[in-house]
């Protein structure tokens, strides 16, 4: 068995970020391509199916965010254990505990989602043929959710060891198989039955099952996860270590897509055509943000290993590199989306009316996405530094206090333009909030007055609250 550990505290920060993030960009892109492929093929079924995707997409992304949060908790625990030079057998046992906890949580979440799904999508505004399409897709997707969670936790274990390639390959494998199966099951090619929207769900289930089987074999062979002689030894401690990060991290990552679902409900006030166009724009945006997500996937283990080794300066350097990248890529992204908004919108909707809504979103919101990307990086850095609660607070403020209420206010006063204005304002505030929260927790990339003053005040207030809680407990 080869040693799976890579020391991310060795060498330049930017190089180690590249080591993990670069392959993950391809992996994340391939996973998001599944959503694009679903939308492309389902758009050919007609309006109800495309509109159903607009309702389903933000909700399943919100549910999937719990899997991302659980994997982030595992990643933080494992990367800090590796940074602190823990015994390799103990790390492998910790990975086993993380996998078992994730599976248990996923089964509970899947069951709850199945029970509330009809009520939830009716509340969001789906009805008639649209709701029928939603409910045809969901049983297969819900059945695949526990498979997704276990796969993501094992991929997080690879990344915590400095191996972004294996995790990325697993993601690409899943996407290629899923996209290959989707049109066959939707339209009934060859021996496959014609299943419509249910076929897209079944394709996801089959692809995730195959990927899970492969990733389990690789993890066991490499010793990334192992039971050992005493598989339950330290389970309580592992659970506390993982859950203390995983729960706030899961909620942090679920807040954004849950907010998108609430904003989609606001768009539904305008009509089904607007929902279809807005949903298509959201999927294009997800693809455009892949480099930010990949950066975050690498930033978590780099900060985690640095913090585990007691090297706060290296953790700050990592966040500084991430902020610079967010500004540079955000500028290039703005030019691209503004230039190609029309063709992208037409490709994603295959109809003129929804395409107009998609293009407007890409033109007006695209230039502000650097702020969203910086917030994504900050969430990963805060989680890697064991401050997932701060990451949750940043996400909750950005979505719950700004985006959702301003989107509803905007749609009631300005229509679709109000939705776009709320999105831009949210991204700009997110940029400032990301700098403030990272500075307040000791990993901030800048000390400018506009950031340092509120950050120092926030750090002081939280320190006072912590001191009061400790004195009350003693």
């Amino acid at each position: 068995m080869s040693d799976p550990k890579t020391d991310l505290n060795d060498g330049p920060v930017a190089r180690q970020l590249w080591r993990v993030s670069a392959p993950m960009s391809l992996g994340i892109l391939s996973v998001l391509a599944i959503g694009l492929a679903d939308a492309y093929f389902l758009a050919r079924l007609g309006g109800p199916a495309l509109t159903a995707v607009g309702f389903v997409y933000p909700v399943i992304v919100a549910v999937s965010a719990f899997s991302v949060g659980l994997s982030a908790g595992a990643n933080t625990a494992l990367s800090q254990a590796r940074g602190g030079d823990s015994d390799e057998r103990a790390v492998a046992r910790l990975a086993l505990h993380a996998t078992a906890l994730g599976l248990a949580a996923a089964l509970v979440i899947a069951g709850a989602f199945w029970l509330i799904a009809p009520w939830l999508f009716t509340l969001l505004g789906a009805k008639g043929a649209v709701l029928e399409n939603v409910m045809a897709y969901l049983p297969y997707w819900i059945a695949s959710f526990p498979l997704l969670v276990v796969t993501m936790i094992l991929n997080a274990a690879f990344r915590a060891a400095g191996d972004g390639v294996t995790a990325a390959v697993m993601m690409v494998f899943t996407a290629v198989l899923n996209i290959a199966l989707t049109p066959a099951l939707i339209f009934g090619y060859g021996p496959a039955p014609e299943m419509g929207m249910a076929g897209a769900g079944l394709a996801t289930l089959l692809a995730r099952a195959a990927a899970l089987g492969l990733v389990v074999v690789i993890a066991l062979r490499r010793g990334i996860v192992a039971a050992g002689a005493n598989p339950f030894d330290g389970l309580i401690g592992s659970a506390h270590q993982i859950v203390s990060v995983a729960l706030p991290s899961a909620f942090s990552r679920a807040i954004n897509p849950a907010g998108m679902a609430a904003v989609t409900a606001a768009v539904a006030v305008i009509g089904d055509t607007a929902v279809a166009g807005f949903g298509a724009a959201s999927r294009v945006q997800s693809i455009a943000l892949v480099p930010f997500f990949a950066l975050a996937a690498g930033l978590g283990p780099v900060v985690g290993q640095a913090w585990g080794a007691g090297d706060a300066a290296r953790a700050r350097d990592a966040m500084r590199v991430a902020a610079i990248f967010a500004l540079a890529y955000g500028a290039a992204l703005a030019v691209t989306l503004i230039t190609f908004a029309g063709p992208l919108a037409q490709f994603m909707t295959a109809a003129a009316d929804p395409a107009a809504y998609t293009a407007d979103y890409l033109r007006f919101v695209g230039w502000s996405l650097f702020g969203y990307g910086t917030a994504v990086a900050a969430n990963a850095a805060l989680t890697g530094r064991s401050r997932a609660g701060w990451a949750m607070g940043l996400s909750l403020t950005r979505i719950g206090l700004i985006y959702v209420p301003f989107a509803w206010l905007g749609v009631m006063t300005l229509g679709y333009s109000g939705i776009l204005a709320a999105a831009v304002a949210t991204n700009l505030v997110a940029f400032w909030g990301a700098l403030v929260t990272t500075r307040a927790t000791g990993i901030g990339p800048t000390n400018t007055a506009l950031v340092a003053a509120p950050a120092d005040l926030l750090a002081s207030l939280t320190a006072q609250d912590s001191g009061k809680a400790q004195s009350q407990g003693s």
Side-chain angles (χ1 to χ4, degrees), residues 180-263:
L181 291 171
T182 294
L185 293 172
I186 288 177
F187 302 112
Y189 296 156
E194 182 180 350
M195 298 179 64
M197 193 154 178
L202 179 57
T204 297
L205 174 60
L206 294 175
R208 287 178 176 176
L212 175 60
L214 186 58
V215 77
V216 167
V217 170
I218 295 173
L220 289 172
R221 286 185 176 180
R222 294 187 185 176
I224 289 290
V225 59
N230 300 298
F232 299 108
D233 186 30
L235 177 61
I236 301 300
S238 296
H240 181 269
Q241 187 179 5
I242 294 166
V243 172
S244 64
V245 175
L247 282 182
S249 181
F251 281 110
S252 176
R253 284 159 174 78
I255 286 167
N256 182 70
M260 288 298 294
V263 173

Side-chain angles (χ1 to χ4, degrees), residues 169-198:
V169 169
M170 289 299 98
M171 296 164 78
V172 172
F173 170 78
T174 306
V176 169
L177 182 57
N178 196 332
I179 293 172
L181 291 171
T182 294
L185 293 172
I186 288 177
F187 302 112
Y189 296 156
E194 182 180 350
M195 298 179 64
M197 193 154 178

Side-chain angles (χ1 to χ4, degrees), residues 84-163:
D85 290 326
S86 294
D87 177 78
E88 200 64 45
R89 290 172 298 180
V91 176
R93 188 168 56 246
L94 178 61
L96 176 68
H97 294 167
T99 303
L101 290 168
L103 177 60
L107 291 172
V108 172
I109 293 169
F113 186 23
W114 171 250
L115 291 175
I116 69 169
W119 169 84
L120 174 62
F121 285 99
T122 301
L123 180 66
L124 290 175
K127 54 185 180 294
V130 173
L131 183 60
E132 290 176 6
N133 275 274
V134 169
M135 297 310 298
Y137 176 85
L138 282 181
Y140 299 102
W141 190 92
I142 291 173
S144 76
F145 179 67
L147 311 181
L148 171 67
V149 170
V150 174
T151 302
M152 290 191 69
I153 289 175
L154 292 175
N155 281 341
F158 288 122
R159 296 200 317 274
D163 177 11

Side-chain angles (χ1 to χ4, degrees), residues 390 432 435-441 446 449-462:
W390 285 73
W432 176 76
L435 298 180
V436 169
T437 51
T438 52
R439 170 70 164 76
T441 53
T446 179
L450 188 61
V451 172
D456 292 345
L457 176 61
L458 183 60
S460 175
L461 290 174
T462 54

Side-chain angles (χ1 to χ4, degrees), residues 54-60 62 120-121 123-125 254-270 275 278 282 399-409 411-412 419 422:
F55 280 105
V56 166
Y57 187 74
V59 176
I60 63 174
L120 174 62
F121 285 99
L123 180 66
L124 290 175
I255 286 167
N256 182 70
M260 288 298 294
V263 173
T264 299
V267 177
V269 172
I270 303 172
V275 171
F278 182 78
S282 298
I399 296 298
L401 298 184
I402 301 173
Y403 195 16
V404 172
F406 277 91
W408 276 96
L409 177 63
V411 77
M412 294 301 180
I419 298 283

Side-chain angles (χ1 to χ4, degrees), residues 281 284-285 333-346 352 354-369 416 420-421 423-424:
V284 173
Q285 176 177 282
L333 180 59
V335 173
T336 302
L337 290 180
I338 291 170
T339 303
F340 297 103
L344 286 171
Q346 190 61 42
Y357 289 101
T358 303
D360 284 347
Y361 183 98
L362 298 178
R363 289 191 188 101
F364 289 103
V365 181
W367 70 267
S368 68
L369 292 177
Y416 193 67
L420 304 184
V424 170

